[in-house]
Amino acid sequence: MQPVIKWSGSKRSQAEKIISYFPDYDIYYEPFIGGGSIMYHIKGKRVCSDICKPLIDLWQIIQNNPLYLIKEYETLWNELQEQGQEFYYSIRDKFNQTKNPAYFLFLSRTCTNGLIRFNKKGEFNNSYHHGRKGIKPDKLHKIMIDWSNKIQDVIFVHQSYEQILHMVKSNNFVYLDPPYFNTKGMYYGTINYEEFINFLKELNNKKVKFALSYDGIRGNTDRTVELPKDIYVRHEYIKSGLSSFNRLRGNTEEVYESLYLNYE
């Protein structure tokens, strides 16, 4: 599986291991969809959401009109090869004004290390990746069609994670991959820790099973967050490949991320 949307904190290298812990369920919910690495491997009815509207808009177009996105990307990519970084920054400005999903896709594939980052105003602010041309349109075409076929039965919703509480039932399952506690300010939006804990308690009250990916161990540094013991039943460490953010900082330590389960 190759990513169609690059997103910080991708679970591509861990997806199969994480999914091996999932229980049986009727409907799958993922309220921090990001790059969709887990969603890609899930079959059946899926409800995937995110607070980032351009991201949800992009997923919906990948689902319903991938050829439009491929054509738009090819046009932008060819212009970038001719004009260089000035064109990249012009598209970044246009995206921040319009939130056009096609611009968003282009930026995600040509920015430094594929790190999708926003400032406090919600503006995309990562720089152009010098020395890389971005994924070639013909390669992206194949990836885009593959993903479009995989997500035809997914319902994409623009909403905050709390809003799934009125949707989920006891026979549903929720996978959560929120911005991590130790990565504040790096990703789109932020979440209040206390409010998030209350949200998990509400899932427990509704007898909804969930799995939560969260901070773990990097090298000799333990960043595991002490979640309240009454929220989860199991805590596992999942080996992770190096993230693009860590590579950017020259960090080559082994990373193990936490996976909390509220079921055996």
Side-chain angles (χ1 to χ4, degrees):
M1 183 268 288
Q2 294 296 316
V4 67
I5 298 175
K6 286 199 170 186
W7 197 259
S8 300
S10 169
K11 294 298 180 289
R12 183 160 64 111
S13 65
Q14 308 156 260
E16 292 185 3
K17 183 65 175 178
I18 290 173
I19 292 170
S20 71
Y21 288 97
F22 288 2
D24 294 330
Y25 53 84
D26 289 342
I27 303 176
Y28 172 85
Y29 285 84
E30 189 173 346
F32 301 94
I33 186 57
S37 295
I38 302 296
M39 172 188 68
Y40 179 91
H41 296 279
I42 298 293
K43 296 180 181 179
K45 187 174 181 180
R46 292 158 284 175
V47 180
C48 299
S49 56
D50 203 279
I51 198 172
C52 180
K53 189 174 188 302
L55 175 63
I56 294 300
D57 290 343
L58 180 54
W59 275 121
Q60 289 174 336
I61 300 177
I62 292 171
Q63 182 184 54
N64 299 312
N65 196 359
L67 295 180
Y68 160 78
L69 272 180
I70 293 164
K71 183 178 180 180
E72 289 293 300
Y73 178 82
E74 182 174 14
T75 298
L76 296 170
W77 187 85
N78 286 332
E79 288 290 329
L80 179 67
Q81 310 316 307
E82 294 181 6
Q83 300 183 36
Q85 66 173 341
E86 290 185 3
F87 181 74
Y88 171 89
Y89 289 110
S90 71
I91 296 301
R92 191 179 74 174
D93 289 341
K94 288 180 180 179
F95 169 74
N96 286 331
Q97 294 169 3
T98 66
K99 299 299 186 286
N100 184 314
Y103 294 160
F104 191 31
L105 175 66
F106 169 77
L107 293 172
S108 76
R109 285 296 181 165
T110 53
C111 67
T112 301
N113 279 42
L115 280 170
I116 296 176
R117 299 181 65 181
F118 297 84
N119 60 25
K120 292 181 180 179
K121 297 179 181 179
E123 298 171 332
F124 190 97
N125 66 348
N126 201 359
S127 57
Y128 171 61
H129 195 132
H130 292 279
R132 287 190 183 179
K133 295 182 178 180
I135 187 170
K136 293 183 178 180
D138 58 344
K139 183 177 181 180
L140 182 61
H141 186 146
K142 296 177 182 178
I143 295 172
M144 185 83 68
I145 297 301
D146 175 47
W147 275 84
S148 184
N149 290 334
K150 288 278 188 179
I151 63 175
Q152 285 303 302
D153 58 354
V154 178
I155 297 172
F156 291 104
V157 186
H158 170 233
Q159 63 183 15
S160 65
Y161 70 90
E162 302 99 325
Q163 291 176 277
I164 72 165
L165 280 175
H166 74 278
M167 305 168 69
V168 294
K169 299 179 180 178
S170 59
N171 56 348
N172 301 155
F173 174 69
V174 180
Y175 172 65
L176 302 149
D177 185 21
Y180 285 7
F181 189 82
N182 288 292
T183 55
K184 292 178 180 177
M186 295 181 192
Y187 305 135
Y188 186 92
T190 57
I191 59 172
N192 179 283
Y193 176 75
E194 296 300 330
E195 291 177 357
F196 184 63
I197 294 301
N198 288 333
F199 166 80
L200 297 179
K201 290 180 179 179
E202 287 297 320
L203 289 180
N204 280 331
N205 290 339
K206 296 188 72 170
K207 302 187 184 305
V208 176
K209 292 179 180 179
F210 70 78
L212 165 66
S213 289
Y214 216 40
D215 303 69
I217 299 171
R218 187 180 70 193
N220 296 320
T221 304
D222 189 346
R223 298 192 174 206
T224 305
V225 179
E226 290 296 328
L227 298 181
K229 300 295 184 182
D230 60 340
I231 285 179
Y232 64 94
V233 175
R234 294 177 64 187
H235 176 204
E236 305 286 344
Y237 285 107
I238 308 295
K239 187 174 182 179
S240 170
L242 288 177
S243 69
S244 54
F245 183 80
N246 287 333
R247 286 198 301 270
L248 185 61
R249 291 190 167 187
N251 192 321
T252 58
E253 298 170 319
E254 285 194 336
V255 176
Y256 291 83
E257 297 185 345
S258 291
L259 184 69
Y260 297 90
L261 313 171
N262 70 340
Y263 55 90
E264 290 290 350

